Amino acid sequence: ATIDDALAEVAELRELADNDPEVAELLARARGIEGAIRHASTHAAGVVISADPLIESVPLQRPPRGDESAIPTTQYAMTQVAKIGLLKMDFLGLANLTILGKALDIIKQTRGEEIDLQALPDGDPATFEMLARGETFAVFQLESGGMRRAIADLRPTKVADLTALVALYRPGPMQHIPTFCRAKHGEEEIHLPHPDMADILDETYGVITYQDQVMLIAQKFAGYTLGDADSMLKAMRKKIPELMAKERPRFIEGAQALGHSEELAAQVFDLIEPFAGYAFNKAHAASYSAIAYQTAYLKAHYPAEYMTAVLALAGSHPSGAHERIAQAVAECVKLGIAVLPPDVNHSGVNFTLETRDGAEPAIRFGLGVVKNVGEAAAENVVVAREQGGPYRGLDEFCARVNLKSLNRRALESLVKAGALDCFGDRGALLGNLERAVNVAQREQRRIESGQTSMFGMLGEAAEPVPLELTGLPIDVSHEERLRWEKELLGVYVSEHPFARPAAVLAQSTTAQCAELSAELTGRDAVVAGMVTSTRTIYTRDGKPFIAAMIEDLSGGAEVTVWPDQYELTRSLWSPGSILLLLVRVRERGERLQLSVQEVAPYAAEDWSPPAWAQEAGAQDAVANGNVNGAYANGRNGSARESAASARPLRRLRFFVHESEDEEADHARLGRLLELLAAYPGEDDIRLFVHALDGSRVELSLPLAQASEEVRERGAAILAPLGGAEEVEVVPAPEATR
């Protein structure tokens, strides 16, 4: 938006500009630089190629924020570079290729198998079953929430399906994904613009998906050469008006020459024109889908090896990539793969796959992944261990490693992260660390100076005995140990601090953080977790609210605490707090918005769930067909208990959200009542309404037939309010019949 747009839309800004000379001057100066180029950026993969030295053809400059030795960039943009006759190529590098290569190496080392990724069988059942479940973490191109939903709907059975999905999952063609999915599974008839296009569009179930298809349609339907079709595609893609004006009559004339009517030719041109603007190049999509399939195949068949490679890439990141490590460890937990803490006698520099006698392989944290340690220091520890065998104690460890590369801060981090637990308690190790380092440094200086110790004079057979941890231990609580792990490793390894509360709170929750997905859009969910971080945001009128990260054993989720709720619960949102939350799930583009409706702090002693959690749990049970759970333990109060004592044969439940159009809502309710009146009966029909003010209202509707026809017709009436996917016909228990 421009400054003028802001002035037109925001009355407060307009008022300031009219009444405050300083604001008016500021806006006037801002208009002077509005739209100016802010900075020169470097193309991530662009390389300019010339037969002669570039300096003879194009002005060069150092990259922004680059050093003097960095490769220079052109001062011309890509279009100008092309106009002066230079060749610009994009050489794209993918981290996923590194993961694939690493995974293949690990598989060869641990299993002795050599896998040719180019010879993988298409249609592998295990791979496509995994994808159909939406389990796409660390699968190239398929990891986002929106893509997970799309691939679960698609239920692909071959790589060609992935190719089409990669091409369609972009602004514009994305609207055709539901059609593609339904047509693939025979749920919708395939529609072709003309029978002549069958051989072109059959592979994508009648949906124009690739640029290549647009070109082939122009060739077959209007007599274009492929060169002419490429020019037409370029005109459409670049939206060049003068070229577009020429192409339409040319296309229609060519189609008429092949015997098609002018009307049909115009319809086909109008059909392909928008697709040409956003369709994907098939070769590009196929390349991406091939890598997607390879990553999915390895994850499905070699999950431990593949996840080790994923973690190793994250662990090699200069900044540690702790967030990615935490996500990958959570995925390992879901897959049943053990992740072991760092250990100076077992760990490598990075993540490694550790095979254990009689047990499933486990992934071991690398020493270099520990914050403040780094690759060089970790390499020092590993090399010394390989040369002299396992370390036997703290003193010997400090004596054998090179303390010039492994400084005290790194040593302390290794202790706190649990990498030296094999030598004793972390508190005792920290209490003796200073003494052990001093002794080791003194001995290393003596060796460097050429002096001989008493042990050296006694010969090689006499070795120094590791000293006992006699220093005063530091008192370390269980909670502090866990905080150290989270800080230094990015995850809790020995135990999650939420593990103990989770066992108690599980009976009150309806979902875990990892289960909060778009499938729950329009519904409320009860979740529990630990607050890990918060950030404060302000509304336009200056009211504070927060976005808080909560974490349970399945992963994390960001929740929004709007001003009114935040004002009431401000003291609860400190990191480390364990909370029970009622959140409303909404979809906002590619992300979910989880708005906190209710919140209660967890207390280890005398815990009992709040009334709102009991009510939400009961409604969730009804929505999922669990009548007994809905009415058990007095969750719904005396009114619902009395209703349970005289239940009819069937129940029909509609769950909807109130809209801002009150008149339309009343009209829909009236149509629903008319529907029920047309199907008289004795079944219990209820409507659960989530009101705009956050309250939840239950309406008992007239008794009627809870039939499938009533369910379907009622769902259609309430579909704009979210009722279409949240309707259940629930048989009453046999005892009440």
Side-chain angles (χ1 to χ4, degrees), residues 53-114:
L54 281 174
I55 194 66
E56 297 179 7
S57 305
V58 61
L60 305 178
Q61 67 182 40
R62 294 193 185 100
R65 299 179 297 278
D67 58 51
E68 294 187 4
S69 61
I71 298 174
T73 63
T74 65
Q75 293 186 31
Y76 290 170
M78 60 179 183
T79 52
Q80 285 75 38
V81 166
K83 283 183 178 179
I84 64 173
L86 298 179
L87 177 63
K88 184 189 77 69
M89 300 289 288
D90 291 350
F91 295 101
L92 183 64
L94 293 175
N96 301 80
L97 298 179
T98 302
I99 292 174
L100 287 171
K102 180 70 174 176
L104 295 182
D105 290 342
I106 296 171
I107 293 168
K108 184 176 180 180
Q109 292 167 9
T110 57
R111 302 197 187 202
E113 300 178 24
E114 292 195 31

Side-chain angles (χ1 to χ4, degrees), residues 614 618 622 627-648 651 653 684 686 698 736:
Q614 298 175 29
V622 173
V627 179
N628 294 325
Y631 287 88
N633 301 320
R635 275 183 164 187
N636 293 286
S638 57
R640 293 189 182 178
E641 288 177 29
S642 61
S645 65
R647 291 190 205 112
R651 298 184 183 83
R653 301 288 185 258
D684 180 19
R686 298 196 186 191
E698 177 182 341
T736 66

Side-chain angles (χ1 to χ4, degrees), residues 281-475:
N281 178 290
K282 185 178 181 181
H284 195 167
S287 299
Y288 274 18
S289 65
I291 299 173
Y293 184 65
Q294 291 166 2
T295 55
Y297 183 92
L298 292 186
K299 183 181 178 184
H301 291 275
Y302 305 92
E305 291 84 353
Y306 184 73
M307 291 306 300
T308 302
V310 171
L311 281 162
L313 180 69
S316 64
H317 194 278
S319 63
H322 279 177
E323 182 178 353
R324 183 63 172 176
I325 289 173
Q327 294 170 347
V329 169
E331 182 71 6
C332 289
V333 172
K334 289 172 58 178
L335 296 172
I337 302 169
V339 179
L340 306 176
D343 187 314
V344 292
N345 277 330
H346 295 281
S347 292
V349 174
N350 206 330
F351 286 93
T352 53
L353 187 63
E354 194 170 292
T355 54
R356 303 171 293 171
D357 293 338
E360 292 293 323
I363 300 174
R364 174 76 71 175
F365 259 86
L367 300 176
V369 181
V370 180
K371 188 177 180 181
N372 304 324
V373 176
E375 185 176 343
E379 186 72 32
N380 170 13
V381 175
V382 173
V383 170
R385 184 184 72 217
E386 291 173 347
Q387 293 174 345
Y391 301 106
R392 296 178 299 168
L394 179 63
D395 292 84
E396 189 217 22
F397 174 77
C398 291
R400 287 172 57 186
V401 299
N402 184 348
L403 293 177
K404 291 181 179 178
S405 64
L406 191 68
N407 58 33
R408 299 192 187 205
R409 187 186 185 195
L411 279 169
E412 186 175 302
S413 295
L414 286 174
V415 172
K416 290 181 175 180
L420 276 69
D421 281 1
C422 52
F423 303 150
D425 178 76
R426 294 182 202 181
L429 293 170
L430 289 173
N432 285 269
L433 188 60
E434 184 76 18
R435 175 189 62 81
V437 169
N438 289 337
V439 171
Q441 287 178 333
R442 186 166 60 248
E443 180 65 11
Q444 288 179 8
R445 285 195 298 267
R446 183 193 61 74
I447 293 173
E448 290 173 358
S449 66
Q451 298 178 22
T452 303
S453 69
M454 178 177 66
F455 293 110
M457 290 186 291
L458 291 175
E460 294 182 1
E463 296 183 0
V465 178
L467 301 176
E468 295 183 3
L469 301 177
T470 57
L472 186 65
I474 296 174
D475 186 27

Side-chain angles (χ1 to χ4, degrees), residues 436-519:
V437 169
N438 289 337
V439 171
Q441 287 178 333
R442 186 166 60 248
E443 180 65 11
Q444 288 179 8
R445 285 195 298 267
R446 183 193 61 74
I447 293 173
E448 290 173 358
S449 66
Q451 298 178 22
T452 303
S453 69
M454 178 177 66
F455 293 110
M457 290 186 291
L458 291 175
E460 294 182 1
E463 296 183 0
V465 178
L467 301 176
E468 295 183 3
L469 301 177
T470 57
L472 186 65
I474 296 174
D475 186 27
V476 180
S477 67
H478 178 70
E479 291 73 18
E480 190 168 17
R481 285 180 54 180
L482 296 180
R483 282 199 300 272
W484 286 343
E485 290 181 10
K486 179 68 172 178
E487 176 190 353
L488 298 171
L489 301 176
V491 293
Y492 301 103
V493 179
S494 58
E495 180 188 358
H496 197 291
F498 184 64
R500 298 176 187 180
V504 179
L505 291 167
Q507 62 184 330
S508 303
T509 62
T510 62
Q512 292 185 305
C513 286
E515 297 170 334
L516 295 173
S517 64
E519 282 70 26

Side-chain angles (χ1 to χ4, degrees), residues 195-218:
D196 285 354
M197 301 180 193
D199 58 338
I200 299 173
L201 298 180
D202 273 352
E203 67 168 326
T204 53
Y205 310 107
V207 177
I208 300 175
T209 305
Y210 309 115
Q211 294 175 2
D212 316 60
Q213 290 174 317
V214 175
M215 294 172 62
L216 290 171
I217 289 171

